[in-house]
Amino acid sequence: MNKKLLSFMLAALIALLAACGDDGATAEDKNNEEKAKQEEASGEKASGEKAKMPEPDLEGVPEVVAKVNDEEIKKKEFTETYKSQFQQMAMQSQMTGKEVDQDKLKKQVAESLVGQTLLIQEANSRDFTVSEEEKNKKLEEIAKQQKLESKEKFLSKLEEQGMKEEEVMAQVEKQMKLEKLLAEEAGDLEPTEKEMKEAYEQMKKQQEKAGGESKSKVPSYEEAKPMIKQQLSGQKEAQAYQKLVEDLKKDADVKVNV
């Protein structure tokens, strides 16, 4: 299960913003793009030919990629997710020179979709309710993260990509039900002060070990604390989701066809 599972539903929405152009791209995306361009330019100089980005191989993918209990995961859903994951892997392969193992990636994506489906099925089986107020608050939070003025601006951006407000609200409701499911199953996932300090000391050692100027760039604990808290919370949440998926699989009827 991908560690980004903890926010996969909202991430799917946010990913659409990237298609709007550079304004929707993250700093990491831009950095990766720049590195890929530099690597490509280097390849051109060395060989006299433009380095080509690998293409996703979707030949032979069945119409029903997997079946989870009575629910089918269709080729269309798999393809959309696979292309997104492949694009990231392909960019890394341009920088590292290591070829993308597409067979392995297909299995990972299929398993990820199976896990997501199991979680959604379980969340829907419980009496979780999500109010309009909760959904609107969540959308405001996402808009803020994307540096947009309001949820209306966020919805407008998504509408430009062909996603209607009703679809967005349905996806947000699913994500919030998953959050309620996780809270009920895993309880408090807030990292302790001790855990954050231990993570800080580890980070500091890694930076000092790197040597050079990085030694003087180590931030204080208080400066690094918000980032460390977010990182540890994300790790705990991903681990809790993974455990829940593994437990659900034990009683589920799952068949993967890739």
Side-chain angles (χ1 to χ4, degrees), residues 128-156:
F128 297 129
T129 57
V130 181
S131 68
E132 288 299 313
E133 184 180 355
E134 287 177 302
K135 285 186 276 189
N136 286 328
K137 184 179 178 182
K138 176 63 73 176
L139 281 171
E140 290 289 354
E141 289 174 6
I142 301 170
K144 187 176 180 181
Q145 290 168 5
Q146 294 301 302
K147 296 181 171 38
L148 296 170
E149 296 172 7
S150 64
K151 72 178 181 68
E152 286 76 22
K153 289 279 188 182
F154 178 70
L155 290 170
S156 177

Side-chain angles (χ1 to χ4, degrees), residues 39-216:
E39 190 74 17
E40 186 175 317
S42 177
E44 285 181 41
K45 288 177 182 178
S47 65
E49 295 180 3
K50 186 175 180 180
K52 290 183 179 180
M53 283 285 282
E55 294 289 332
D57 177 17
L58 292 162
E59 188 177 348
V61 174
E63 286 303 316
V64 177
V65 172
K67 190 171 182 181
V68 184
N69 296 318
D70 293 326
E71 188 173 348
E72 294 179 341
I73 297 174
K74 302 283 191 177
K75 180 179 180 179
K76 181 182 178 183
E77 181 183 0
F78 174 86
T79 299
E80 290 171 355
T81 307
Y82 183 79
K83 283 182 176 179
S84 175
Q85 291 293 316
F86 179 81
Q87 188 176 26
Q88 294 176 38
M89 296 291 287
M91 193 170 287
Q92 289 176 21
S93 76
Q94 288 287 88
M95 292 183 281
T96 62
K98 187 178 179 181
E99 189 177 345
V100 179
D101 186 339
Q102 296 208 49
D103 289 335
K104 183 179 178 181
L105 183 59
K106 284 173 188 173
K107 291 184 186 301
Q108 289 175 339
V109 170
E111 286 297 329
S112 178
L113 289 171
V114 166
Q116 293 172 19
T117 303
L118 283 168
L119 289 169
I120 293 167
Q121 287 177 351
E122 182 64 19
N124 287 335
S125 72
R126 305 197 188 187
D127 295 327
F128 297 129
T129 57
V130 181
S131 68
E132 288 299 313
E133 184 180 355
E134 287 177 302
K135 285 186 276 189
N136 286 328
K137 184 179 178 182
K138 176 63 73 176
L139 281 171
E140 290 289 354
E141 289 174 6
I142 301 170
K144 187 176 180 181
Q145 290 168 5
Q146 294 301 302
K147 296 181 171 38
L148 296 170
E149 296 172 7
S150 64
K151 72 178 181 68
E152 286 76 22
K153 289 279 188 182
F154 178 70
L155 290 170
S156 177
K157 285 283 188 183
L158 292 175
E159 190 172 0
E160 289 174 12
Q161 300 303 307
M163 198 166 192
K164 295 180 180 178
E165 182 175 345
E166 294 78 15
E167 294 177 81
V168 177
M169 298 304 277
Q171 296 284 30
V172 170
E173 184 172 349
K174 282 182 183 179
Q175 174 63 22
M176 297 195 74
K177 282 186 177 181
L178 290 179
E179 290 173 358
K180 289 173 186 276
L181 172 65
L182 188 66
E184 189 171 276
E185 288 293 319
D188 185 15
L189 295 173
E190 283 282 304
T192 64
E193 193 72 20
K194 182 182 177 182
E195 288 172 328
M196 288 189 285
K197 285 183 177 178
E198 287 176 351
Y200 173 73
E201 289 302 320
Q202 186 177 6
M203 179 194 77
K204 196 162 71 167
K205 284 179 183 177
Q206 288 174 343
Q207 286 190 285
E208 288 173 348
K209 188 177 179 181
E213 295 181 1
S214 62
K215 209 168 189 179
S216 62

